[in-house]
Amino acid sequence: LAGLFPLSAIVFYAALIAVFIAAPAHRLVAAALFLIRLALQFAITGSCMKKLREHDLIPWLPVLDFYMMFIYPTLALSNLFFRSRRWK
Protein backbone atom coordinates (compact mmCIF):
# COMPACT_ATOMS: atom_id res chain seq x y z
CA LEU A 1 0.00 0.00 0.00
CA ALA A 2 2.91 2.36 0.65
CA GLY A 3 4.05 1.83 -2.92
CA LEU A 4 0.88 3.42 -4.27
CA PHE A 5 1.99 6.92 -3.31
CA PRO A 6 5.01 7.13 -5.62
CA LEU A 7 3.11 5.22 -8.31
CA SER A 8 0.23 7.70 -8.18
CA ALA A 9 2.67 10.61 -8.36
CA ILE A 10 4.42 9.11 -11.41
CA VAL A 11 1.08 8.51 -13.14
CA PHE A 12 -0.12 12.02 -12.28
CA TYR A 13 2.97 13.77 -13.62
CA ALA A 14 3.09 11.54 -16.72
CA ALA A 15 -0.56 12.33 -17.46
CA LEU A 16 0.06 16.02 -16.84
CA ILE A 17 2.93 16.07 -19.33
CA ALA A 18 0.90 14.05 -21.84
CA VAL A 19 -2.01 16.49 -21.62
CA PHE A 20 0.29 19.47 -22.07
CA ILE A 21 1.83 17.88 -25.18
CA ALA A 22 -1.13 16.11 -26.80
CA ALA A 23 -4.15 18.20 -25.85
CA PRO A 24 -3.38 21.92 -25.86
CA ALA A 25 -7.08 22.73 -25.42
CA HIS A 26 -7.03 21.13 -21.96
CA ARG A 27 -3.89 22.79 -20.62
CA LEU A 28 -5.90 25.06 -18.34
CA VAL A 29 -7.65 22.08 -16.75
CA ALA A 30 -4.34 20.27 -16.28
CA ALA A 31 -2.77 23.36 -14.70
CA ALA A 32 -5.76 23.71 -12.37
CA LEU A 33 -5.45 20.06 -11.29
CA PHE A 34 -1.74 20.56 -10.66
CA LEU A 35 -2.40 23.63 -8.53
CA ILE A 36 -5.13 21.81 -6.56
CA ARG A 37 -2.74 18.91 -5.89
CA LEU A 38 -0.02 21.32 -4.87
CA ALA A 39 -2.37 23.23 -2.54
CA LEU A 40 -3.55 20.03 -0.88
CA GLN A 41 0.01 18.85 -0.51
CA PHE A 42 1.05 22.15 1.09
CA ALA A 43 -1.93 22.01 3.45
CA ILE A 44 -1.38 18.43 4.61
CA THR A 45 2.38 18.08 4.56
CA GLY A 46 2.93 21.70 5.54
CA SER A 47 0.91 21.29 8.73
CA CYS A 48 2.93 18.19 9.61
CA MET A 49 6.17 20.07 8.98
CA LYS A 50 4.99 22.93 11.19
CA LYS A 51 4.23 20.53 14.03
CA LEU A 52 7.70 19.04 13.64
CA ARG A 53 9.18 22.57 13.52
CA GLU A 54 10.63 22.07 10.04
CA HIS A 55 9.59 25.46 8.67
CA ASP A 56 12.61 25.70 6.39
CA LEU A 57 11.50 22.64 4.35
CA ILE A 58 8.02 23.94 3.44
CA PRO A 59 9.19 25.93 0.37
CA TRP A 60 11.02 22.84 -0.89
CA LEU A 61 7.87 20.70 -0.86
CA PRO A 62 7.39 20.46 -4.67
CA VAL A 63 11.05 19.47 -5.12
CA LEU A 64 10.81 16.90 -2.33
CA ASP A 65 7.66 15.45 -3.90
CA PHE A 66 9.47 14.90 -7.20
CA TYR A 67 12.49 13.47 -5.35
CA MET A 68 10.37 11.05 -3.31
CA MET A 69 8.84 9.53 -6.45
CA PHE A 70 12.22 7.93 -7.07
CA ILE A 71 13.46 7.38 -3.52
CA TYR A 72 10.46 5.33 -2.25
CA PRO A 73 10.67 2.64 -4.97
CA THR A 74 14.46 2.51 -4.60
CA LEU A 75 14.17 1.91 -0.86
CA ALA A 76 11.45 -0.70 -1.36
CA LEU A 77 13.59 -2.62 -3.84
CA SER A 78 16.67 -2.42 -1.63
CA ASN A 79 14.63 -3.80 1.29
CA LEU A 80 13.64 -6.78 -0.83
CA PHE A 81 17.21 -7.69 -1.70
CA PHE A 82 19.17 -6.59 1.35
CA ARG A 83 17.73 -7.63 4.70
CA SER A 84 19.08 -5.89 7.76
CA ARG A 85 20.06 -7.78 10.84
CA ARG A 86 17.87 -7.46 13.88
CA TRP A 87 19.17 -5.65 16.88
CA LYS A 88 19.86 -7.67 19.96
Side-chain angles (χ1 to χ4, degrees), residues 1-9 72 76:
L1 197 58
L4 291 179
F5 175 70
L7 179 66
S8 69
Y72 282 165

Short mmCIF file of all heavy atoms in Angstrom, two decimals, residues 1-9 72 76:
data_model
loop_
_atom_site.label_atom_id
_atom_site.label_comp_id
_atom_site.label_asym_id
_atom_site.label_seq_id
_atom_site.Cartn_x
_atom_site.Cartn_y
_atom_site.Cartn_z
N LEU A 1 0.82 -1.20 0.00
CA LEU A 1 0.00 0.00 0.00
C LEU A 1 0.86 1.26 0.00
O LEU A 1 0.49 2.25 -0.60
CB LEU A 1 -0.92 -0.02 1.21
CG LEU A 1 -2.11 0.92 1.17
CD1 LEU A 1 -2.98 0.64 -0.03
CD2 LEU A 1 -2.91 0.80 2.43
N ALA A 2 2.03 1.19 0.63
CA ALA A 2 2.91 2.36 0.65
C ALA A 2 3.50 2.64 -0.73
O ALA A 2 3.91 3.76 -1.02
CB ALA A 2 4.03 2.16 1.66
N GLY A 3 3.53 1.64 -1.57
CA GLY A 3 4.05 1.83 -2.92
C GLY A 3 3.10 2.55 -3.85
O GLY A 3 3.47 2.95 -4.95
N LEU A 4 1.85 2.73 -3.43
CA LEU A 4 0.88 3.42 -4.27
C LEU A 4 1.13 4.92 -4.34
O LEU A 4 0.78 5.56 -5.32
CB LEU A 4 -0.53 3.15 -3.78
CG LEU A 4 -1.04 1.73 -3.95
CD1 LEU A 4 -2.45 1.60 -3.40
CD2 LEU A 4 -1.01 1.32 -5.40
N PHE A 5 1.74 5.48 -3.30
CA PHE A 5 1.99 6.92 -3.31
C PHE A 5 2.95 7.33 -4.42
O PHE A 5 2.63 8.21 -5.21
CB PHE A 5 2.49 7.38 -1.95
CG PHE A 5 2.87 8.84 -1.92
CD1 PHE A 5 1.90 9.81 -2.00
CD2 PHE A 5 4.19 9.21 -1.84
CE1 PHE A 5 2.24 11.15 -1.99
CE2 PHE A 5 4.55 10.55 -1.83
CZ PHE A 5 3.57 11.52 -1.91
N PRO A 6 4.13 6.72 -4.52
CA PRO A 6 5.01 7.13 -5.62
C PRO A 6 4.45 6.74 -6.99
O PRO A 6 4.64 7.46 -7.96
CB PRO A 6 6.33 6.43 -5.34
CG PRO A 6 6.03 5.38 -4.36
CD PRO A 6 4.81 5.80 -3.62
N LEU A 7 3.71 5.63 -7.05
CA LEU A 7 3.11 5.22 -8.31
C LEU A 7 2.06 6.23 -8.75
O LEU A 7 2.01 6.62 -9.93
CB LEU A 7 2.49 3.83 -8.19
CG LEU A 7 1.80 3.30 -9.43
CD1 LEU A 7 2.82 3.07 -10.54
CD2 LEU A 7 1.06 2.02 -9.12
N SER A 8 1.24 6.70 -7.82
CA SER A 8 0.23 7.70 -8.18
C SER A 8 0.87 9.02 -8.59
O SER A 8 0.37 9.71 -9.49
CB SER A 8 -0.74 7.92 -7.02
OG SER A 8 -0.09 8.57 -5.95
N ALA A 9 1.98 9.38 -7.97
CA ALA A 9 2.67 10.61 -8.36
C ALA A 9 3.27 10.48 -9.75
O ALA A 9 3.18 11.42 -10.56
CB ALA A 9 3.77 10.93 -7.35
N TYR A 72 11.30 6.38 -2.83
CA TYR A 72 10.46 5.33 -2.25
C TYR A 72 10.60 3.99 -2.98
O TYR A 72 10.83 2.97 -2.33
CB TYR A 72 9.00 5.75 -2.22
CG TYR A 72 8.62 6.70 -1.11
CD1 TYR A 72 7.43 7.40 -1.17
CD2 TYR A 72 9.43 6.91 -0.01
CE1 TYR A 72 7.07 8.27 -0.16
CE2 TYR A 72 9.08 7.78 0.98
CZ TYR A 72 7.90 8.45 0.91
OH TYR A 72 7.54 9.32 1.91
N ALA A 76 12.25 0.53 -1.40
CA ALA A 76 11.45 -0.70 -1.36
C ALA A 76 12.21 -1.85 -2.03
O ALA A 76 12.23 -2.97 -1.51
CB ALA A 76 10.10 -0.48 -2.02
#
